[in-house]
Amino acid sequence: MARCLVVALLVSVVVNASRADEGPAFVRTVEGITELKLANGMQVLLFPDVSRPNVTVNLTLFVGSRHEGYGEAGMAHLLEHMVFKGTPSRPTIPAELTKRGAQFNGTTWLDRTNYYETLSASDENLEFAISMEADRMINSLIKAEDLASEMTVVRNEFERGENSPQRVLMQASFFDGLRMAQLRQVHDRQSCRHRTSSRRKPSSLLQTILSARQRDADRGWKV
């Protein structure tokens, strides 16, 4: 689970190639977890774990539902779903992950969105996860037909939560202003792309790598 560090590098290369040759700056190490920072502001956490035979790449973006503007309720969750719809070079991301036996998902919260995949530890899987995350953070397809279908999925997930006593209590305590009616706002491709480009900046990214092999971290900066 330690290869998120490499994903961080590749995302930074795509976002700001001019700074790709600048090495990461060491920040601190606390209880075996090393924090680094890239020249473009992206944070990287490296967490070697010799008890695990796999690697997890997790990308956290410090953007969530609290950043939604007027008429954008549900946009953060919708964008989370759209990132799984593929890119021009990877049109079937879920199928590719499944083929490699990966466990993967994404989640959205008030102040963050994250995407992760856990695969068997190998150089090939590491490079795949890194390049895939970098690619879809920049080149995700935003199609009108996908927006229409995923909006229904997002609405259904919201409605399922209304049958959960815990979720109802949380909404009553913290989310009084977020009502289901807000999710009926129309979101088009232009607004989705605007939020993707304006919010998903390197300084708003945190990459975490958890792996069994320390060498994965060293090799990661050379991919």
Side-chain angles (χ1 to χ4, degrees), residues 100-116:
R100 293 173 180 270
Q103 296 180 358
F104 61 94
N105 208 340
T107 68
T108 304
W109 192 236
L110 293 174
D111 56 359
R112 61 108 187 107
T113 305
N114 79 294
Y115 307 90
Y116 70 87

Side-chain angles (χ1 to χ4, degrees), residues 97-142:
L97 287 166
T98 300
K99 181 179 179 180
R100 293 173 180 270
Q103 296 180 358
F104 61 94
N105 208 340
T107 68
T108 304
W109 192 236
L110 293 174
D111 56 359
R112 61 108 187 107
T113 305
N114 79 294
Y115 307 90
Y116 70 87
E117 49 275 340
T118 298
L119 309 95
S120 296
S122 72
D123 293 342
E124 181 182 0
N125 282 341
L126 171 59
E127 293 184 22
F128 165 77
I130 293 170
S131 60
M132 184 272 294
E133 288 292 359
D135 184 21
R136 69 177 179 172
M137 288 301 109
I138 303 298
N139 302 311
S140 286
L141 299 173
I142 306 293

Side-chain angles (χ1 to χ4, degrees), residues 72-193:
E72 294 182 338
M75 181 69 80
H77 193 177
L78 183 59
L79 275 174
E80 176 212 315
H81 283 233
M82 295 303 296
V83 169
F84 286 94
K85 292 299 182 179
T87 70
S89 61
R90 294 179 175 82
T92 57
I93 287 178
E96 291 186 45
L97 287 166
T98 300
K99 181 179 179 180
R100 293 173 180 270
Q103 296 180 358
F104 61 94
N105 208 340
T107 68
T108 304
W109 192 236
L110 293 174
D111 56 359
R112 61 108 187 107
T113 305
N114 79 294
Y115 307 90
Y116 70 87
E117 49 275 340
T118 298
L119 309 95
S120 296
S122 72
D123 293 342
E124 181 182 0
N125 282 341
L126 171 59
E127 293 184 22
F128 165 77
I130 293 170
S131 60
M132 184 272 294
E133 288 292 359
D135 184 21
R136 69 177 179 172
M137 288 301 109
I138 303 298
N139 302 311
S140 286
L141 299 173
I142 306 293
K143 298 180 179 180
E145 58 268 31
D146 290 335
L147 282 170
S149 63
E150 290 306 311
M151 193 61 199
T152 300
V153 175
V154 170
R155 184 179 293 115
N156 288 340
E157 290 182 2
F158 185 94
E159 290 173 347
R160 286 204 308 269
E162 293 185 324
N163 294 322
S164 167
Q166 180 182 7
R167 181 69 175 270
V168 171
L169 178 60
M170 289 180 65
Q171 289 180 331
S173 301
F174 304 108
F175 311 140
D176 187 56
L178 301 180
R179 306 309 309 156
M180 184 58 207
Q182 293 176 297
L183 285 177
R184 298 195 177 96
Q185 299 288 344
V186 176
H187 303 308
D188 57 22
R189 287 183 293 175
Q190 183 177 358
S191 62
C192 280
R193 290 189 185 281

Side-chain angles (χ1 to χ4, degrees), residues 37-86:
K37 191 169 185 177
L38 304 187
N40 61 10
M42 185 175 186
Q43 293 176 273
V44 179
L45 297 181
L46 175 64
F47 187 3
D49 184 353
V50 296
S51 69
R52 307 288 296 183
N54 51 26
V55 55
T56 294
V57 173
N58 180 80
L59 179 66
T60 300
L61 303 96
F62 298 116
V63 179
S65 60
R66 77 179 182 88
H67 298 97
E68 295 168 345
Y70 181 78
E72 294 182 338
M75 181 69 80
H77 193 177
L78 183 59
L79 275 174
E80 176 212 315
H81 283 233
M82 295 303 296
V83 169
F84 286 94
K85 292 299 182 179

